[in-house]
Amino acid sequence: MKCKYKRVLLKISGGALSDGVDSIAPSMVEHVVNQLVEIHNSGIEVAVVVGGGNFWRGRDGKAMDRTTADHMGMLATVMNALALQDAIEKKGVQTRVMTALSMPAVAEPFILRRALTHFEKKRMVIFACGTGNPYFTTDSGAALRAAEIKADVLLMAKNIDALYCSDPRKNPNAKKIEKATYLEVIKNNLNLMDLTSVTMCMENNIPIISFGLKEKGALVRAARGEKVGTIIT
């Protein structure tokens, strides 16, 4: 099948890898990894930014120093990145984990030229530790890495199938949005990603596709440029 995009970046939350019982649920990892491998094998270059919310979010440390709490969150993302790497490589695809914080015993430091070389060598790349700075979310890390590697699209895996005018879990009359502009997302405070991330994508002209991760095959369809979820341009 002809693919619209050459290089995609998937942002997946740590919570998406959990089933509410296990911090990392093998069934969810398998669901994600099978689609990532299919995308890779179709000739699309794949990068992933993973969160750490199934273990720890910086905002959970309300009684802690914010910088300390955020750094703990960054470390949590590394555990998820290593779990994804292990599962992907078991399916025969070479993968590299790159971190914004230096920890050479378990992963490579993020160096843009090295990341681009991994793509040239047909490897999948997983970015961990967000931007490496406190006060920034992993959404910001995803927007930043997408801009740096010149990704054709940023895929936002969510727990609902698209963007809506309000939360469809609370409002059964919420209307689905198929297309939106960056400014509409910001103005209407749609639940996509933090405003810093949306602005960065807008300034670098990176389209965003918001889709439901649990929907069968949705990740593959989004990566191929098929109609799925909501596209923001």
Side-chain angles (χ1 to χ4, degrees), residues 186-211:
I186 294 171
K187 179 181 178 181
N188 297 310
N189 197 27
L190 299 178
N191 187 25
L192 175 64
M193 55 204 303
D194 65 73
L195 299 185
T196 299
S197 310
V198 178
T199 301
M200 185 175 296
C201 288
M202 179 174 65
E203 291 176 345
N204 291 280
N205 198 29
I206 302 169
I208 308 166
I209 298 176
S210 176
F211 66 98

Side-chain angles (χ1 to χ4, degrees), residues 68-82:
T68 299
D70 282 357
H71 277 122
M72 289 172 63
M74 293 176 212
L75 295 176
T77 69
V78 180
M79 291 188 281
N80 287 328
L82 294 176

Side-chain angles (χ1 to χ4, degrees), residues 69-224:
D70 282 357
H71 277 122
M72 289 172 63
M74 293 176 212
L75 295 176
T77 69
V78 180
M79 291 188 281
N80 287 328
L82 294 176
L84 288 174
Q85 179 186 42
D86 179 76
I88 293 167
E89 293 198 331
K90 284 179 178 176
K91 296 184 181 296
V93 178
Q94 286 195 341
T95 310
R96 295 292 184 271
V97 173
M98 307 189 83
T99 59
L101 298 177
S102 181
M103 49 186 75
V106 296
E108 297 179 9
F110 172 72
I111 299 172
L112 177 58
R113 289 180 181 270
R114 185 177 291 179
L116 297 178
T117 298
H118 290 323
F119 291 129
E120 292 172 2
K121 294 184 176 181
K122 308 301 181 185
R123 294 168 179 157
M124 204 179 297
V125 182
I126 303 171
F127 299 119
C129 296
T131 67
N133 299 290
Y135 295 92
F136 288 90
T137 66
T138 48
D139 285 350
S140 296
L144 174 62
R145 296 290 180 249
E148 288 178 306
I149 67 172
K150 293 180 169 56
D152 297 315
V153 64
L154 171 55
L155 307 177
M156 291 292 296
K158 310 291 281 186
N159 57 8
I160 54 176
D161 64 340
L163 281 184
Y164 288 78
C165 61
S166 61
D167 192 338
R169 294 164 296 188
K170 299 178 180 178
N171 177 13
N173 297 317
K175 293 183 178 180
K176 183 177 179 179
I177 301 169
E178 293 189 354
K179 291 184 178 180
T181 66
Y182 305 109
L183 290 177
E184 285 172 337
V185 171
I186 294 171
K187 179 181 178 181
N188 297 310
N189 197 27
L190 299 178
N191 187 25
L192 175 64
M193 55 204 303
D194 65 73
L195 299 185
T196 299
S197 310
V198 178
T199 301
M200 185 175 296
C201 288
M202 179 174 65
E203 291 176 345
N204 291 280
N205 198 29
I206 302 169
I208 308 166
I209 298 176
S210 176
F211 66 98
L213 180 64
K214 293 184 179 180
E215 185 180 345
K216 185 177 180 180
L219 172 52
V220 173
R221 299 201 307 274
R224 288 175 173 170

Side-chain angles (χ1 to χ4, degrees), residues 9-18 28-29 31-33 35-36 47-54 77 80-81 84 126-127 138-139 142 154-158 211 213 219:
L9 187 144
L10 168 68
K11 164 55 174 58
I12 182 170
S13 69
L17 300 179
S18 172
M28 284 306 302
V29 172
H31 174 70
V32 172
V33 166
Q35 294 185 81
L36 289 175
V48 180
V49 168
V50 62
N54 50 328
T77 69
N80 287 328
L84 288 174
I126 303 171
F127 299 119
T138 48
D139 285 350
L154 171 55
L155 307 177
M156 291 292 296
K158 310 291 281 186
F211 66 98
L213 180 64
L219 172 52

